[in-house]
Amino acid sequence: MSRYVGAVDQGTTSTRFMVFDHQGRNVVSHQLEHQQILPQAGWVEHDPLEIYQRTCDVIEGALSKANLTAQDLVAIGITNQRETTVVWNPQTGEPFYNAIVWQDTRTDRIMHRLEQDGAGETIRGKAGLPPATYFSGGKIQWILENVEGARVAAERGEAIFGNIDTWLIWNLTGGINGGAHITDVTNASRTMLFDLETLNWDDELLRLFTIPRGMLPTVRPSSDSTFYGMTQRTGAFKGEVPLCADLGDQQAATVGQVCFSPGEAKNTYGTGNFMLLNTGTNIVPSHAGLLTTVCYQIRGERPIYALEGSVAVTGSAVQWLRDQIGIIKQAGDIEARRCLLRAGLFRTLRSLLALRRARLYRRTVTLQRQRTSCARDARSHLLSNARRPRRDGQGFRRKLGGLESRWRPDSQRHVDATSSRHLRRARGASGRC
């Protein structure tokens, strides 16, 4: 008798398989990381074949740990990193290019051109998303335009698209031997090609990105009792298990946190930070930069929508410090270094503030010297260019002394009206005021 359910959690940095009992308790899990490919600044890629192999490895590893078989599982589901784009040949199973990850920004020119052409409002109105490098539509277009043979193959039906959920479902349910080419409404809603109201691919949006409709997977509910397909006896499960659930990772976390009522929200911390707010059956456009997206759909029920806000880089920064910079050996080391990093940051800030104060002091001293020089030149000019002699020498010196006092470095006062004409001449003569 089947006692458990299984879940594949395919994320940006790792893949995990977990088994749960009927009370929702975790029975066993196994997790492996995969390579982050960074060909150049702003480009982030994964190897789709490596991801599928890691998926098979974690399934086999978890089942082996708990001494379970396919017969112990009543069903499995998949949650995945969203937006990451794969285009492959359905006849050979070979990808045309590496998976372009959601963090990748190479499509910025495509997005800028869409905004300039006025297509931004169309995309927002139908898909609930702004034109951004984050989403799948521009990544598909980039592959078709830049990978040799990809567009020709797509026109012939020899190139199909899927996010990571679609790629895994296709492989787990048979691959080139009749694998199911499907996705769910949550993943479809992250492509800029999906109409939130009709819950279908939109022809106008496909034309904007010049993507053939035949490349796209069939859209199914997030939980479907009629199954997407069955795993294969020759695959990782070594038997047939119904595959009947599929959600993007942040929507899956919202369901996992039991945010089933409008107004309930979750915030999760992983590769990035993501907050989703359940808005019920209402599509709520945001006027504050949030994303409107599908939260989930159960077969036979209306879809539930959400608003989403995100911080793209949090946990991935830890992996960057480990793999690219090399200042830590494992992710847990970041905690040991936190105090040192904080102390170093404070020292750096103190140094910057001290440098700023020194610059301000030098600037003040320079201004004071300039003002002193101006006052000295004004006195010299007045002494040499007095038009008529004064009988009262002391009176003249008193006036001149008053002028000097008004030009002391720590004073901002101007000379009085009787001396202004002479002062203007002094300024012109000195050239330094």
Side-chain angles (χ1 to χ4, degrees), residues 132-162:
T133 60
Y134 189 24
F135 307 112
S136 306
K139 303 179 195 298
I140 304 171
Q141 182 178 347
W142 188 93
I143 291 174
L144 294 179
E145 292 177 351
N146 292 276
V147 176
E148 184 178 358
R151 181 169 292 281
V152 174
E155 298 291 349
R156 293 200 304 255
E158 297 174 0
I160 57 176
F161 152 76

Side-chain angles (χ1 to χ4, degrees), residues 54 56 74 88 109 162-163 179 244 269-270 314 345 362 382 425:
R54 288 288 188 272
C56 293
V74 65
W88 72 97
R109 292 184 180 180
N163 295 124
C244 57
Y269 302 83
T314 51
L345 177 62
R362 287 197 297 270
L382 287 172
R425 292 177 180 173

Side-chain angles (χ1 to χ4, degrees), residues 33-46:
E33 292 190 350
H34 56 264
Q35 183 184 8
Q36 306 296 306
I37 303 170
L38 310 172
Q40 62 187 65
W43 290 29
V44 187
E45 299 174 0
H46 292 158

Side-chain angles (χ1 to χ4, degrees), residues 337-351:
R337 287 183 169 269
R338 181 176 59 178
C339 294
L340 294 174
L341 290 170
R342 182 180 297 174
L345 177 62
F346 286 158
R347 285 196 296 270
T348 301
L349 289 174
R350 282 198 297 269
S351 299

Side-chain angles (χ1 to χ4, degrees), residues 52-128:
Y52 177 58
Q53 185 58 54
R54 288 288 188 272
T55 302
C56 293
D57 292 343
V58 296
I59 291 169
E60 292 171 356
L63 295 179
S64 177
K65 281 182 185 179
N67 197 26
L68 299 175
T69 67
Q71 286 69 40
D72 294 307
L73 302 175
V74 65
I76 59 171
I78 287 180
T79 180
N80 61 288
Q81 54 169 313
R82 304 171 301 172
E83 296 96 17
T84 298
T85 298
V86 186
V87 174
W88 72 97
N89 187 324
Q91 299 173 4
T92 65
E94 291 293 321
F96 281 86
Y97 191 77
N98 279 335
I100 302 180
V101 180
W102 58 273
Q103 300 159 313
D104 191 284
T105 60
R106 75 186 69 189
T107 61
D108 55 347
R109 292 184 180 180
I110 295 174
M111 299 304 113
H112 181 66
R113 187 163 60 246
L114 287 169
E115 285 282 23
Q116 281 191 324
D117 294 343
E121 288 308 309
T122 301
I123 298 171
R124 289 183 183 90
K126 291 190 173 186

Side-chain angles (χ1 to χ4, degrees), residues 193 201-211 213 216:
L193 307 173
W201 305 116
D202 185 84
D203 289 331
E204 182 178 11
L205 297 177
L206 290 171
R207 283 195 296 272
L208 290 175
F209 292 95
T210 64
I211 297 172
R213 191 184 185 97
L216 305 181

